[in-house]
Amino acid sequence: MSEAQPTAADLARENEELRYQLEEAQDLINAIRTGAVDALAVQSAEGPRIFTLQGADQGYRTLIEQMNEGALLLSEDATVLYCNACLAGLLGRALGEVMGSEIDEFVPPAFKDYWARLVQKGWKGKSKGELPLQTKDGALVPFSVSMNVLAFNDTPALAVIVTDLSAQREISAIQAQVEQQNALLDLKTEELKREEAARLVGERAAAEASRLLEGISQIAWTTNAEGVHTYRNRRWYDYIGRQQGQGPPAGRSWRERLHPADAAPTLALWHQSLSTGQPYEVECRIRNAEGEYRWMLGRALPSRNEQGEIIQWIGTYTDIHEHRLALERIDQGQRQLRDNNEQLTRANVDLDNFIYTASHDLKAPISNIEGLLNALLLELPAETVQIEPVQPILELMQDSVNRFKRTIEHLTNVSKLQKEHGQPSEAVDLAAVIQDVCLDLDPLIQATGAQLEVDVAAAPTVLFSEKNLRSVVFNLLSNALKYCCPDRVPQVRLLARTEDEFAVLEVRDNGLGLDAANEQKLFGMFQRFHDHVEGSGIGLYMVKKMMENAGGRIEVQSELGVGSTFMVYFSL
């Protein structure tokens, strides 16, 4: 038989009973909160259990109700026997929803095992931990829980104090932010201290530099690391004709006083030194008090601290105006010298061409004259050639032709010498060359009865052209024999020695000699000082040219009526 369905009246009566029970429970809770009752009956499987608030005291209950932390009592089956209003508020629930419920309802699933371990540990003694609890709207709020066992009507209960950690975490976050800000402030403070220390070091360095730079004769100055002037000594203000601080700053600025042609390159070098830390050096013109631009040598070096950072630049300007003008005069003189050398080179080329042309063009007519003279001798009767007026004239004519031919030959040799500069040299046996020349001059040696002494052991070889060396020895030895003194036996000594970086050949004679006034003219072309001896006056000129072309030289010491000594210097 099916169960009868409740009528509307039954449902209304049941609702009324439930409402009455709810009001009764609410009244009970209020009574407990206000201290009106000191006991609580809770229905369990073994029947109703009576819980009394031992030592119930209005002051304690008021304290618990008004404290900022949540408080609750748990039975052994985790039923909430009591909780204060703070805990209900933290969970966002009514007090009646929490009282009599199981605390596990508010623990998130992920933390239930952790909560169970805390509760288990709390029943054994004391327990502490942190976990989130779920509010009515589903939000998770971090809490700190502290547990301890209390006797509740001779029945143990687990007292739990619940503390909201949200504010503490916000405070921790704020503290962390404050600590971070404090750390930044500390760093900034340290940086400011370092900057202040660096500034003090810079000021002391600047003061020391100023003290030292006032005592020097150059214009001296300092700048900071960025190139801004921090000091100029008295020399600068004397140079521009102003007192320190007098007039607008532009009138005291070195940039404004640079010569327009020097401004751009000078400033470029200065900025390059500032950016690279390399020393600064420049030559520029700076206007003085009279409006005159004078050349200055500007130099500056960076001054660094212990960390290697540039703290200032120390520089000077040195007046090099006269030196620069002297260099310009030297440069102008060198340019003029180059121009003169070019003119001389062209003149030498023209002279070579002239000598070549003259010697070439004169050979034909003189050969014709010589041929005509020979033809004339063949045409004239023998007795006519032998008569007194004709024979001397013919001999003079032949002698003139021979001298003309020798002159042309000498001019050709001079032209060749002009082109021999820088010709390669070789080690030549000096004794062998002298012996060969002596054989060529043997008739002259026999004719004069000259006594020769040769000693070249100290410098047996010289670096020279063998052909030219033979010509040098031939000219000097033949002159010593030709210009001998008729009153004494000719004595000629050929000696060799070394002196510094030269091998020296000396040719000494006791011949006619020269006075000091003629010594410098001796090596000129066509210079002759004794007409009684045949010669062209070109031999010593050629010797001088040959020696100079090879990097050597020739000198003479002579005394009239005593003799001469020619010294030829060959480069080693």
Side-chain angles (χ1 to χ4, degrees), residues 73 91 112 138 163-164 171 180 188 203 206 241 265 324 372-373 406 421 425-426 429 443 535 566:
L73 290 175
L91 296 177
K112 287 188 181 295
T163 304
D164 187 359
I171 292 173
Q180 184 179 5
K188 188 64 177 179
E203 289 179 354
R324 186 67 182 252
L372 293 173
L373 180 59
R406 285 197 301 272
H421 183 75
S425 301
E426 56 183 343
D429 188 336
F566 286 87

Side-chain angles (χ1 to χ4, degrees), residues 141-209:
V141 179
F143 289 100
S144 171
V145 295
S146 178
M147 303 179 184
N148 195 9
V149 177
L150 296 177
F152 186 70
N153 196 21
D154 295 330
T155 301
L158 189 61
V160 183
I161 301 297
V162 180
T163 304
D164 187 359
L165 297 180
S166 300
Q168 293 185 6
R169 294 190 176 180
E170 290 179 1
I171 292 173
S172 299
I174 293 173
Q175 289 177 342
Q177 186 176 2
V178 169
E179 290 176 357
Q180 184 179 5
Q181 292 295 330
N182 289 339
L184 292 176
L185 288 175
D186 291 340
L187 291 176
K188 188 64 177 179
T189 302
E190 290 297 326
E191 183 178 353
L192 290 174
K193 289 181 179 178
R194 287 195 299 271
E195 291 178 356
E196 179 66 15
R199 184 184 65 81
L200 293 176
V201 171
E203 289 179 354
R204 287 194 296 268
E208 181 67 16

